[in-house]
Each structure stands twice: as structure tokens, then as C-alpha cells.
Amino acid sequence: MLYSELSAAAQAAYAGLDNAAKEAETRRSIADVPGGFVSKLVKGRVYWYYQRKDPGGAPQQFFVGPDDTATQTLMQRHTASQPQEARAALQRLTRSALALGCADIPIKHGRVIGRLLEHGFFKAGGILVGTHAFLAYQNMLGVLWGAGAFTLDLDFAHAGRKLTLAIASNVRVDTTSAIESLEMGFVPVVSKTTFKKADEPDFDLDFLTTVGRTGDQPVYIPALNLTLQPLKFMELSLEDPLRTTLLVRANPLVVNVPQPERFALHKLIVHGERSTSQRTKANKDVTQAACLLDYLLENDADLLCERWNDVMSRGPGWRQRLQQGWTALVKAFPSQNFDDRLQAALTNSSP
């Protein structure tokens, strides 16, 4: 296997922390703010938001979560305050989870993600993608990856104007000012879709979106004060994202990430889009996809098959690239018997 399972104690510790961190983030978002909860039906699913008015009188909506037991509990308890004791308890939960073997991310990366979180980037529909999403899946799925976890840059995405996502709202965020406030030396490149550090040339902040009418030309989003780089097939990762908690020392960070099965198949699709100069990233795409697919075929094959069939139905371009990525995966990991396992899963999932 390309992953190892966390202990039952570690999984339980993370589950408790994840619930507590999401509840704390929701309470922090709406504490002492007049307003109320409203629901929306998006693509057949019900999602809840906390709605209030900004100082100018315009309505604002903060994403709370899907209509499930956890979200209902959050809404029932939203009036409770979060005193210093509660924050200290959250830190203790984080330390316990780490001590039991849960995975964390580098402190400097957590500092950037945390600042964007504080400024509302994720409430405004921002999504953490790339390797840090791959890292986030470890605690969420209760595993540790055997490969593919090395990274130096940070990748973020937003659906821009093309997709209607459940978490989209009219919250305005000055993302550029948030990055500048870090005082870490990040400077935007000419396209303004990437921020670089002169003293750490490999530590980039990249901001991505889906391809629209302007093709691959950078797109400026006024509500984010940010320019995004469109990438082909990016919509697969950005549809129906989920919330999860990253661990940075004693500081849990609640962020949006792609669904794991979408992330895995997207990695296969973009593998063939990489140029020759990006072979290292292309290889990492395949490795991360392999780790996730190894887990999903073992633990959630029906969900993976549903997404596989969805991608194959999107047209010849999607099918061709997915098959190309799959061929590279099978060649790179011959001992995992991916072909036989996928075919068995697809056969068993057929109506």
C-alpha cells in the first residue's frame, strides 16, 4: 500500500479536533453579529449560511456547511461565546492529535494560510489546492502517505466568475493586502497571479481559477483584489469542495479543499498537460494520485467510480487526458495492480 493507517487514538483525536475547530471558526465568524441562518439548494444539496448586513446595508453570507448533523449542531450552539479557556482547550486538542501521530504542515506555510484565513479568503470561496490539500487528506482519511508529500510552494484557487459553488458568497477580501501584511517578502510577478520571495525562490504563492471566455489570460477578481491564472480542467477540483482542518503546531486552521476523489482524477488529467520542463511536477501529480487512488479503491470504491464515470462523460478531451494519466500511473506503480482493481470496482458499481 502507498499509505499507512493512523492509530485509532490518533484518528479519534483528530475527529474531535476537527469538529471543535470548525465550531470555533463558525462562532468566531458570526459571534455578536446580528443575523440569522438561511439555507440554499445547490445542485440538489442543501447548504446553510449565516446572513447579516455589512455596514453599507448590503447582505453578506458566510458559509456554515452542508445540511448534516454536524452543521445542525453548530447552528444550535452558535450563540455560545468562545472565551480564552475554549481557545486553550482547542490548542490542547491540537497538541494531543500531533502527539498521537497526526500530520502537520510547515510553520511558515501555516503562517500564510492562517493570514488568508483571518482575512476571509476561504469564506469568500477560496480553496487550498496542490500538495497542501494532499497533506490535509492524511488526517481527514486517517492515514499517512508513503510518498508525494514534499512541497515548497502554496497553491490556492477560486472559481472566479464561471462556477456557482455552494461556498460562494458576496464577501469581499483584500487578499493582496493580507499577503503584504505578512511582511515575509512576497512580491507579485508580472502576471500578478504568483507571489515570489527573493530569498526563497521555490516558495511561491500561486492563485488559480478555471478557464473562461478569456482563455488562459489572467483574470482580476475585484471582490478578492487578486488576479488568478486560469488552468484547463480546474473546475473538476473546485466543484463541491469540503472543509477540513490543517494542523500547525498548536494552531488548527479550517480551510476549504477539493473532494479527494476529484483531486486524484484531476492530478491524472493535468499530468499530460505539463511541459517537459515540469517533469518533476508531473511525476508528483502521478504519485499523489496513486496514493489517493490506492486508498479510495480500498475504502470508497463506489465514490471513486461515480467520479470516474462523471469525468469520462465530459467529452473526448477529458477522456483522452484521463486515460493518458491513468496509463502513466499504471506504468509508475506496477505492483499496485491498479488496472485490475479499477476494473473490478467499475464492474461491481455498475447498475
Side-chain angles (χ1 to χ4, degrees), residues 309-320:
N309 291 330
D310 166 42
V311 173
M312 294 294 282
S313 70
R314 297 191 180 203
W318 289 83
R319 289 194 295 271
Q320 177 185 356

Side-chain angles (χ1 to χ4, degrees), residues 105-118 154 181-184 248 251 253:
I105 64 171
I107 296 173
K108 64 180 180 180
H109 295 183
R111 185 181 173 194
V112 175
I113 296 169
R115 184 58 53 87
L116 294 183
L117 173 64
E118 292 169 0
L154 276 164
S181 71
L182 287 164
E183 298 183 351
M184 293 175 67
V248 187
N251 186 26
L253 304 174

Side-chain angles (χ1 to χ4, degrees), residues 29 39 42 95 106 144 169 190 199 222 259 271 281-282 299 342:
S29 300
S39 63
V42 181
R95 293 191 184 99
L144 292 176
S169 69
V190 175
D199 58 338
Q259 296 279 352
H271 170 266
K281 287 189 174 182
N299 297 278
L342 177 64

Side-chain angles (χ1 to χ4, degrees), residues 2 14 25-26 30 32 50 53 71 92 128 163 166 179 182 184 220 236 277 283 315 318 335 347:
L2 300 177
Y14 177 76
E25 180 62 24
T26 299
I30 63 179
D32 301 322
Y50 190 81
K53 290 186 178 181
T71 298
R92 287 194 296 271
L128 182 66
L163 295 180
I179 295 170
L182 287 164
M184 293 175 67
Y220 176 70
L236 178 62
S277 62
N283 292 336
W318 289 83
S335 64
T347 300

Side-chain angles (χ1 to χ4, degrees), residues 176 187-195 205 207 218-220 225-229:
T176 299
V187 177
V189 299
V190 175
S191 68
K192 298 184 179 180
T193 63
T194 296
F195 291 75
L205 310 183
F207 292 88
V219 178
Y220 176 70
N225 188 24
L226 187 66
T227 302
L228 309 174
Q229 177 60 54

Side-chain angles (χ1 to χ4, degrees), residues 225-245:
N225 188 24
L226 187 66
T227 302
L228 309 174
Q229 177 60 54
L231 289 183
K232 286 190 280 187
F233 309 106
M234 193 71 203
E235 58 265 37
L236 178 62
S237 280
L238 303 191
E239 294 169 1
D240 197 21
L242 55 82
R243 296 170 80 213
T244 194
T245 304

